[in-house]
Amino acid sequence: MTVQMVLLPVFVLVGLAFALLLGMASARTRAVVGKQVSLKDVALRQPNWPERATQIGNCFSNQFEIPILFYVLIALALPLRKADLIIVLLSWVFVVTRFAHAGIFVTSNDVRQRSLVWFAGVLVLFAMWLYFALNMLLLS
């Protein structure tokens, strides 16, 4: 696998985080300009943002939870030359689940649907880690 093939899903996932960051900033700016919230009411991270700004903000924050394990895996697998076709394919499946999760989060926010997609992503990531660990420990 080329470095570009391994890193492309990472770049796409980072793009999702930046898109959510911009969406959150936009929603928060609209809330302040529209006088739905004053800056003193949120200056110390009080949970006083309107619902929409909170929804997008929570989705953005979620990009720094489970995906961290994905970034670490790729950061290890690449220099150790363990990033093969299976890792790349599973990376894309994981990224698709993250996009689906974010899409549900910032639209309907149906918690049951969102949880199922989140869990699917966790299972894929677990499979990636298991595959990587077995490759490192048994096939080295």
Side-chain angles (χ1 to χ4, degrees), residues 119-132:
F119 189 64
V122 168
L123 288 177
V124 171
L125 189 57
F126 176 73
M128 290 175 72
W129 271 101
L130 185 61
Y131 178 78
F132 173 68

Side-chain angles (χ1 to χ4, degrees), residues 94-105:
F94 178 72
V95 168
V96 166
T97 67
R98 295 306 304 164
F99 268 81
H101 179 265
I104 294 165
F105 210 137

